[in-house]
Amino acid sequence: MLLFILLTHLAIGVAILGSGDRLGRRAFAVAALAPALTVGWAITQASGVIGSSSGGSGMSDGVPVSFSWMWVEQLGLQLDLRLDGFGLVMVSLVSGIGLMVCIYAMGYFSYPKPGTARLAGLMTLFAGAMLGVVLSDHLLALFVFWELTSITSYLLIGNDDRNPRARAAALQAILITGAGGLVMLVGLIIIGQSAGTYLISELLLNPPTDGVIAAGVICVLVGAFTKSAQAPFGSWLPGAMVAPTPISAYLHSATMVKAGVYLVARLAPILATTGQWRVLVLSVGAVTMVIGGLRAMRQYDLKLLLAYGTISQLGFLMLMFGTGEYKIAQAAVVLILAHGAFKAALFMVVGIVDHEVGTRDIRELHGFGSSWRPTVVVGILAAASMAGLPPLLGFVGKEKALDTYITYGDFTGSGVVLGVIVVGSMLTFAYSARFVLGLLGHFGVADKPNRSAEAHAPSAMFLGPAAVLTVLTVLLGLAPRLVDPLVAAATTALDPTASPSTVKLWAGFNAALGLSVLVIGVGLLLVWKRAPVARLQRRFSDAISWIPSAERGFLVALRSVTDGSKRLTAVVQSGSLPIYLLIIISVVAIAPLIPALSAWSDLPPLVDVPLHVPLAALVIAASLGASIVKRRISAALMLGAVGYAMAGFFIVQGAPDLALTQLVIETLATVLFVLVLRFLPTRWADRSPAVARPIRLTVSVAAAVSVFVLALVAAGSRDSVSEANISVEMIARSAPEAKGNNIVNVILVDFRGLDTLGEITVLVVSGVGAVALARAGRRRLMLGSDAADEVADYEWSEHEPVPSAAPVAGEMDQ
Amino acid sequence: MSVLVAFVAAVLVGCGTWLLLQRRLSRIIIGVGLLGHAGNMLLMVSGGRRGTAPLIGTGDPAGFSDPLPQALALTAIVITFGITLFLLALGFRSWQLTNDDVVEDDVEDRFIARQQRVDRDIADEILAEAAQAAEEDRR
């Protein structure tokens, strides 16, 4: 069934994509089938996965649903899917919010444009991939699904492919997350290899302790940070906001950006005490939480405000899950649910405003009429949950987070992290308030058009999904016991040794409550004094503007890569055949020298046979002559001379067949040379630049030296293995088995017959090619001079418009 | 195998390379021919022992020269001839089209190499975007 769910997403997604634009916005109704099915199935599985016991009573006895399919047995590649408690939390986010987003999108795309249906198809594919991420038990399968979410995210951001901003943002997103994914793959392999298993469930039972794990940890974290938009890799997330709001609500707040958090949550209990894990996760999470909050406070675009808020919240989740302490992780599970619910609702509200008013700029919102009241209430409640106000789910999560951090944060630096969480929560309160005030019209600028007053209120179906999510936020905030079993099961799934406590709305008067009061108090102060705070922030950002931002760093890197590759192409692809050959020959000449010199042995005798001396003299003289003379025919004849001398060598060697072949071929070749060269000018002038000569000479000498050394080293290497010499066997079997007395002949036509077949094929191909080339010219010559001129004109005037002949003929007829 | 033969092979390679690096197709063809000879020579002399012709019935098989490298070299000779034939046909065609046999640079490659940044880079796109956003933010 697990596999069936994934395949259903694939099938529905492909079907929607295949139907093109025919479905229009109804495509989202079709797309909703997949998450609806998943939610329904998850509900039927919930009781088994969660188990009977709830939080507070110790271990959960839930049994995970799993599925395993061996794919490539030899490589140990198998598809392991597993639905445990934490998986159930993620599935409810992916498919629950997915379902809401699909319904919402039907209202959002009330006037579908070309490509709208494509969004639905891609979103379904993304949902399938995301389910794959949270259901995979095998690290490599997780990686594959992980990359699939990056790719579908790229396509979704860049769906409006005529918009250069969308293309640029999509590219930025996939470059950053893709690069991070590759680094992560390295880390996953390091972890998997040194632990001896790629299954998360097995890793959990036998945590690896190998030294190299530390490197793997860093690599995996880089992947998680890029995906979850952590500093300094977060620059792609605000850019991704060019995507339509349903996409942003789904991918870039509720699900995909949580993949990094998910991975950290899964691996933290295994690796938290390994290497630099805690230092890295906690410092990056802390920086991200504060910077994201500060930036969110400065936005005028509601959607960007939410985007930076998401970055900040993701940093918060990192701070929680990254500790590897199950108590703190339990609070994080509540938070991840709360964040999914309120952030998706907030995005939906922004989308409604954008859709009905036509702007998301809070300076152009001057307050809404009474018909908008439900929408505004939904927005305020969701924002209140984000700010951590009671009695909402966001408050429950944040309260538990502070409480567990105070009580169980006993590692180095936990006090600092707690401080950061408090400061980050104050900022969260401030930008949540900014969102609400913006929605109410407090930032409306008088000289900007008031477009909100006469805007139509959204239909019930349009607002419905956001309202449902907000009702959930309120309901679960008032009665956290409803979500308690799920949270407990998720905590136990993350860490089997966990004994989760109960999630409560009211936990009595404790330090956490004090901190919450402090957060709200300072938050109110920040809101009350928002003008001076904004001035201070601007002055601060001006003061640090000399520090290159991560965005700028990315862009400069991107540009230098494209520029560098252009320059490299210009160098290596110069279009000059001699330069290409020069590079190839240099490599061929130098590379073998290194092993050859290390295998150096004694020199062979200076001269083997006296008869070699005159032959050698002839070859050397003729080949040097062929290289120097400036007459084509002379050079060809000298090549012939070398060939005949070679035949002499063959005779001395005891190879009459070779000598015979060489003589015949050389004669034939010389005749051909003369036939062709008689057309060409007898002499040539050297037009090459002066610098070319010494370079060519150097490379030629280098090649010669390399071959010389190689020949000496390889001398007689075959004789040294004479016991296993294949030739002895060939000599012995030639007559009895192949009935031939000429052993070379037997080898050619019998022992190595296929080789000869290949040789014949080469000859046929080159012969056919040569004949075609020769005849191509003959046909031209037979066309007569006019036709030949015409062909020549055509070839030379390729880039100029050639007037068509037909209309001219028509005019002449008239 | 002797130093002399190795030296001959080296000279053949050197001359062949020199000619291969020229601009004239006819010289390149001759270079290919010389390199082919060099290859055959290396094959022969590094391959095995010298001896009498490997013909059964003409003497003691123990004194035969090594037949296998001979078979390989024979194949190589024929294939070198095939390549020479094809290159000569190319030279003939080149003469028909240009009245000469110069191997010119690939114009398309040159064009790519010298191409200035015609299209705006995607990085510029984002940079402009970011600058604009910063500008708006300041106001």
Side-chain angles (χ1 to χ4, degrees), chain A residues 114-170:
Chain A
T116 298
R118 194 167 54 203
L119 284 173
L122 288 171
M123 220 172 86
T124 313
L125 291 180
F126 163 79
M130 192 64 209
L131 283 176
V133 170
V134 299
L135 291 176
S136 292
D137 195 28
H138 196 285
L139 287 177
L140 293 182
L142 185 146
F143 169 78
V144 171
F145 287 118
W146 178 285
E147 292 294 272
L148 282 175
T149 62
S150 289
I151 294 168
T152 41
S153 158
Y154 167 76
L155 293 172
L156 283 166
I157 299 171
N159 189 54
D160 184 8
D161 50 14
R162 283 163 198 279
N163 179 358
R165 287 180 57 193
R167 293 202 305 267

Coordinates of all heavy atoms in Angstrom, one line a residue, chain A residues 114-170:
Chain A
P114 N -2.9 29.6 -19.4 CA -2.1 28.4 -19.9 C -1.0 28.1 -18.9 O -0.3 28.9 -18.4 CB -1.5 28.9 -21.2 CG -2.3 30.0 -21.6 CD -2.9 30.7 -20.4
G115 N -0.9 26.8 -18.6 CA 0.1 26.3 -17.6 C -0.4 26.1 -16.2 O 0.3 25.6 -15.4
T116 N -1.7 26.5 -16.0 CA -2.2 26.4 -14.6 C -2.4 24.9 -14.3 O -2.0 24.4 -13.2 CB -3.6 27.1 -14.5 OG1 -3.3 28.5 -14.7 CG2 -4.2 26.9 -13.1
A117 N -2.9 24.2 -15.3 CA -3.1 22.7 -15.0 C -1.8 22.0 -14.8 O -1.7 21.1 -14.0 CB -3.8 22.1 -16.2
R118 N -0.8 22.6 -15.5 CA 0.6 22.0 -15.3 C 1.0 22.1 -13.8 O 1.6 21.2 -13.3 CB 1.6 22.7 -16.2 CG 2.9 22.0 -16.3 CD 3.7 22.6 -17.5 NE 3.8 24.0 -17.3 CZ 4.1 24.8 -18.3 NH1 4.1 24.4 -19.6 NH2 4.2 26.1 -18.1
L119 N 0.7 23.2 -13.2 CA 1.0 23.4 -11.8 C 0.4 22.3 -10.9 O 1.0 21.7 -10.1 CB 0.4 24.7 -11.3 CG 1.2 26.0 -11.6 CD1 0.4 27.2 -11.2 CD2 2.5 26.0 -11.0
A120 N -0.9 21.9 -11.3 CA -1.5 20.9 -10.5 C -0.8 19.5 -10.6 O -0.6 18.8 -9.7 CB -3.0 20.7 -10.9
G121 N -0.4 19.2 -11.9 CA 0.3 18.0 -12.1 C 1.6 17.9 -11.4 O 1.9 16.9 -10.8
L122 N 2.4 19.0 -11.5 CA 3.7 19.1 -10.9 C 3.5 19.0 -9.4 O 4.3 18.4 -8.7 CB 4.4 20.3 -11.3 CG 4.9 20.4 -12.7 CD1 5.4 21.8 -13.1 CD2 6.0 19.4 -12.9
M123 N 2.5 19.6 -8.9 CA 2.3 19.6 -7.4 C 2.0 18.2 -7.0 O 2.5 17.8 -5.9 CB 1.1 20.5 -7.1 CG 1.4 21.3 -5.8 SD 0.1 22.5 -5.6 CE -1.1 21.5 -4.8
T124 N 1.2 17.4 -7.7 CA 1.0 16.1 -7.3 C 2.3 15.2 -7.4 O 2.5 14.4 -6.5 CB -0.1 15.4 -8.3 OG1 -1.1 16.4 -8.5 CG2 -0.6 14.1 -7.8
L125 N 3.1 15.5 -8.4 CA 4.3 14.7 -8.5 C 5.2 15.1 -7.3 O 5.8 14.3 -6.7 CB 5.1 15.1 -9.8 CG 4.5 14.5 -11.0 CD1 5.3 14.9 -12.2 CD2 4.3 13.0 -11.0
F126 N 5.2 16.4 -7.0 CA 6.0 16.9 -5.8 C 5.5 16.2 -4.5 O 6.3 15.7 -3.7 CB 5.9 18.4 -5.6 CG 6.3 18.8 -4.3 CD1 7.7 18.9 -4.0 CD2 5.4 19.1 -3.3 CE1 8.1 19.2 -2.7 CE2 5.8 19.4 -2.0 CZ 7.2 19.5 -1.7
A127 N 4.2 16.1 -4.4 CA 3.6 15.5 -3.2 C 4.1 14.1 -3.0 O 4.4 13.6 -2.0 CB 2.1 15.6 -3.2
G128 N 4.1 13.4 -4.2 CA 4.6 12.0 -4.2 C 6.0 11.9 -3.7 O 6.4 11.1 -2.9
A129 N 6.8 12.8 -4.3 CA 8.3 12.8 -4.0 C 8.5 13.1 -2.5 O 9.3 12.5 -1.8 CB 9.0 13.8 -4.9
M130 N 7.7 14.1 -2.0 CA 7.9 14.5 -0.6 C 7.4 13.3 0.3 O 8.1 13.1 1.3 CB 7.0 15.7 -0.4 CG 7.3 16.4 0.9 SD 8.9 17.1 1.0 CE 9.2 17.0 2.8
L131 N 6.4 12.6 -0.1 CA 6.0 11.5 0.7 C 7.1 10.4 0.7 O 7.4 9.8 1.7 CB 4.7 10.8 0.2 CG 3.4 11.6 0.5 CD1 2.2 10.9 -0.2 CD2 3.2 11.6 2.0
G132 N 7.7 10.3 -0.5 CA 8.9 9.4 -0.6 C 10.0 9.8 0.4 O 10.5 8.9 1.1
V133 N 10.2 11.1 0.5 CA 11.3 11.5 1.5 C 10.9 11.1 2.9 O 11.8 10.5 3.6 CB 11.5 13.1 1.4 CG1 12.4 13.5 2.5 CG2 12.1 13.5 0.1
V134 N 9.7 11.3 3.3 CA 9.4 11.1 4.7 C 9.1 9.6 5.0 O 9.0 9.2 6.1 CB 8.2 12.0 5.2 CG1 8.6 13.4 5.0 CG2 6.9 11.7 4.4
L135 N 8.9 8.8 3.9 CA 8.5 7.4 4.1 C 9.8 6.5 3.9 O 9.7 5.4 4.3 CB 7.4 7.0 3.2 CG 6.0 7.6 3.6 CD1 5.0 7.1 2.5 CD2 5.6 7.2 5.0
S136 N 10.8 7.1 3.3 CA 12.0 6.2 3.0 C 12.7 5.9 4.2 O 13.0 6.7 5.0 CB 12.9 6.9 2.0 OG 12.3 7.0 0.8
D137 N 13.0 4.6 4.4 CA 13.9 4.2 5.5 C 15.3 4.1 5.0 O 16.2 4.1 5.8 CB 13.4 2.8 6.1 CG 13.9 2.6 7.4 OD1 14.3 3.5 8.1 OD2 14.1 1.4 7.8
H138 N 15.5 4.0 3.7 CA 16.8 3.8 3.2 C 17.4 5.1 2.8 O 16.7 5.9 2.1 CB 16.7 2.9 1.9 CG 18.0 2.3 1.5 ND1 18.9 3.1 0.8 CD2 18.5 1.1 1.6 CE1 20.0 2.3 0.5 NE2 19.8 1.1 1.0
L139 N 18.6 5.4 3.2 CA 19.1 6.8 3.0 C 19.3 7.1 1.5 O 19.0 8.3 1.1 CB 20.5 6.9 3.7 CG 20.5 7.0 5.2 CD1 21.9 7.0 5.8 CD2 19.8 8.2 5.7
L140 N 19.6 6.1 0.7 CA 19.8 6.5 -0.7 C 18.5 6.7 -1.4 O 18.4 7.6 -2.2 CB 20.6 5.4 -1.4 CG 22.1 5.2 -0.9 CD1 22.8 4.1 -1.7 CD2 22.8 6.5 -1.0
A141 N 17.5 5.9 -1.0 CA 16.2 6.2 -1.6 C 15.7 7.5 -1.2 O 15.1 8.3 -1.9 CB 15.2 5.1 -1.1
L142 N 15.9 7.9 0.1 CA 15.6 9.2 0.6 C 16.2 10.3 -0.3 O 15.6 11.3 -0.6 CB 16.0 9.3 2.1 CG 15.7 10.6 2.8 CD1 15.4 10.3 4.3 CD2 16.7 11.7 2.7
F143 N 17.5 10.1 -0.6 CA 18.2 11.0 -1.4 C 17.5 11.2 -2.8 O 17.4 12.3 -3.3 CB 19.7 10.6 -1.6 CG 20.4 11.4 -2.6 CD1 20.8 12.7 -2.4 CD2 20.6 10.9 -3.9 CE1 21.5 13.5 -3.3 CE2 21.2 11.7 -4.9 CZ 21.7 12.9 -4.6
V144 N 17.1 10.1 -3.4 CA 16.5 10.1 -4.7 C 15.2 11.0 -4.6 O 15.0 11.9 -5.4 CB 16.2 8.7 -5.2 CG1 15.4 8.8 -6.5 CG2 17.5 8.0 -5.5
F145 N 14.4 10.7 -3.6 CA 13.1 11.4 -3.5 C 13.4 12.9 -3.2 O 12.8 13.8 -3.7 CB 12.3 10.8 -2.4 CG 11.6 9.5 -2.8 CD1 11.9 8.4 -2.1 CD2 10.8 9.5 -3.9 CE1 11.3 7.2 -2.5 CE2 10.2 8.3 -4.2 CZ 10.4 7.1 -3.6
W146 N 14.5 13.1 -2.4 CA 14.9 14.5 -2.0 C 15.2 15.3 -3.3 O 14.7 16.4 -3.4 CB 16.1 14.3 -1.1 CG 16.8 15.5 -0.6 CD1 17.6 16.4 -1.4 CD2 16.9 16.0 0.7 NE1 18.1 17.3 -0.5 CE2 17.7 17.1 0.7 CE3 16.3 15.6 1.9 CZ2 17.9 17.9 1.9 CZ3 16.5 16.3 3.0 CH2 17.4 17.4 3.0
E147 N 16.0 14.7 -4.2 CA 16.3 15.4 -5.4 C 15.1 15.6 -6.3 O 14.9 16.6 -6.9 CB 17.4 14.6 -6.2 CG 18.7 14.6 -5.5 CD 19.4 15.9 -5.4 OE1 20.1 16.3 -6.4 OE2 19.2 16.6 -4.4
L148 N 14.1 14.6 -6.2 CA 12.9 14.8 -7.0 C 12.1 16.0 -6.5 O 11.5 16.7 -7.3 CB 12.1 13.5 -6.9 CG 12.5 12.4 -7.8 CD1 11.7 11.1 -7.5 CD2 12.4 12.8 -9.3
T149 N 12.1 16.2 -5.2 CA 11.4 17.4 -4.7 C 12.1 18.7 -5.2 O 11.5 19.6 -5.5 CB 11.3 17.4 -3.1 OG1 12.7 17.5 -2.6 CG2 10.7 16.2 -2.6
S150 N 13.5 18.7 -5.2 CA 14.2 19.8 -5.7 C 13.8 20.1 -7.2 O 13.5 21.3 -7.6 CB 15.7 19.6 -5.7 OG 16.1 19.6 -4.4
I151 N 13.7 19.0 -8.0 CA 13.4 19.2 -9.4 C 12.0 19.7 -9.6 O 11.7 20.7 -10.4 CB 13.6 17.9 -10.2 CG1 15.1 17.6 -10.1 CG2 13.1 18.0 -11.6 CD1 15.4 16.2 -10.6
T152 N 11.0 19.1 -8.9 CA 9.6 19.6 -9.0 C 9.5 21.0 -8.5 O 8.7 21.8 -9.1 CB 8.6 18.6 -8.3 OG1 9.2 18.3 -7.1 CG2 8.4 17.4 -9.1
S153 N 10.2 21.3 -7.5 CA 10.2 22.7 -6.9 C 10.7 23.6 -8.0 O 10.1 24.7 -8.2 CB 11.0 22.8 -5.7 OG 11.4 24.1 -5.4
Y154 N 11.8 23.3 -8.7 CA 12.3 24.1 -9.8 C 11.3 24.3 -10.8 O 11.1 25.5 -11.3 CB 13.5 23.4 -10.3 CG 14.0 23.9 -11.6 CD1 14.8 25.1 -11.7 CD2 13.8 23.3 -12.8 CE1 15.2 25.6 -12.9 CE2 14.2 23.8 -14.0 CZ 15.0 25.0 -14.0 OH 15.4 25.5 -15.2
L155 N 10.6 23.3 -11.2 CA 9.6 23.4 -12.3 C 8.4 24.2 -11.8 O 7.8 25.0 -12.6 CB 9.1 22.0 -12.7 CG 10.2 21.2 -13.4 CD1 9.7 19.8 -13.6 CD2 10.6 21.8 -14.7
L156 N 8.1 24.1 -10.5 CA 6.9 24.9 -10.0 C 7.2 26.4 -9.9 O 6.4 27.2 -10.3 CB 6.5 24.3 -8.7 CG 5.7 23.0 -8.8 CD1 5.6 22.3 -7.4 CD2 4.3 23.3 -9.3
I157 N 8.5 26.7 -9.4 CA 8.8 28.1 -9.3 C 8.9 28.7 -10.7 O 8.5 29.8 -10.9 CB 10.2 28.2 -8.6 CG1 10.1 27.7 -7.2 CG2 10.6 29.7 -8.5 CD1 11.4 27.6 -6.5
G158 N 9.5 28.0 -11.6 CA 9.7 28.5 -13.0 C 8.5 28.2 -13.9 O 8.7 28.3 -15.1
N159 N 7.4 27.9 -13.4 CA 6.3 27.5 -14.3 C 5.9 28.6 -15.2 O 5.6 28.3 -16.4 CB 5.1 27.1 -13.4 CG 4.0 26.4 -14.3 OD1 4.3 25.5 -15.0 ND2 2.8 27.0 -14.2
D160 N 5.9 29.8 -14.8 CA 5.6 31.0 -15.6 C 6.9 31.3 -16.4 O 7.7 32.2 -16.1 CB 5.2 32.2 -14.8 CG 4.8 33.3 -15.6 OD1 4.7 33.2 -16.9 OD2 4.6 34.4 -15.1
D161 N 7.2 30.5 -17.5 CA 8.5 30.5 -18.0 C 8.8 31.7 -18.9 O 9.9 31.9 -19.4 CB 8.8 29.2 -18.8 CG 7.6 28.9 -19.8 OD1 6.8 29.9 -20.0 OD2 7.5 27.8 -20.3
R162 N 7.8 32.6 -19.1 CA 8.0 33.8 -19.8 C 8.5 34.9 -18.9 O 9.0 36.0 -19.3 CB 6.8 34.3 -20.5 CG 6.5 33.5 -21.7 CD 5.1 33.7 -22.2 NE 4.7 32.6 -23.1 CZ 5.0 32.6 -24.4 NH1 5.7 33.6 -24.9 NH2 4.7 31.6 -25.2
N163 N 8.4 34.7 -17.6 CA 8.8 35.7 -16.6 C 10.3 35.5 -16.2 O 10.6 34.4 -15.6 CB 7.9 35.6 -15.4 CG 8.3 36.6 -14.3 OD1 9.2 37.3 -14.5 ND2 7.5 36.6 -13.3
P164 N 11.2 36.4 -16.6 CA 12.6 36.2 -16.3 C 12.9 36.1 -14.8 O 13.8 35.3 -14.4 CB 13.3 37.4 -16.9 CG 12.2 38.4 -17.1 CD 11.0 37.6 -17.3
R165 N 12.1 36.8 -14.0 CA 12.3 36.7 -12.5 C 12.0 35.3 -12.1 O 12.7 34.7 -11.2 CB 11.3 37.6 -11.8 CG 11.7 39.1 -11.9 CD 10.7 39.9 -11.2 NE 10.6 39.5 -9.8 CZ 9.6 39.9 -8.9 NH1 8.7 40.7 -9.4 NH2 9.6 39.6 -7.7
A166 N 10.9 34.7 -12.6 CA 10.6 33.3 -12.2 C 11.7 32.3 -12.6 O 12.1 31.5 -11.8 CB 9.3 32.9 -12.8
R167 N 12.2 32.5 -13.8 CA 13.3 31.6 -14.3 C 14.5 31.8 -13.4 O 15.2 30.8 -13.0 CB 13.7 32.0 -15.7 CG 12.6 31.6 -16.7 CD 13.2 31.5 -18.1 NE 14.0 32.6 -18.5 CZ 13.5 33.7 -19.2 NH1 12.2 33.6 -19.6 NH2 14.2 34.7 -19.5
A168 N 14.9 33.1 -13.1 CA 16.1 33.3 -12.3 C 15.9 32.7 -10.9 O 16.8 32.0 -10.4 CB 16.3 34.8 -12.2
A169 N 14.7 32.9 -10.3 CA 14.5 32.3 -9.0 C 14.5 30.8 -9.0 O 15.1 30.2 -8.1 CB 13.1 32.8 -8.4
A170 N 13.9 30.2 -10.0 CA 13.9 28.8 -10.1 C 15.3 28.2 -10.2 O 15.7 27.3 -9.5 CB 13.1 28.3 -11.3

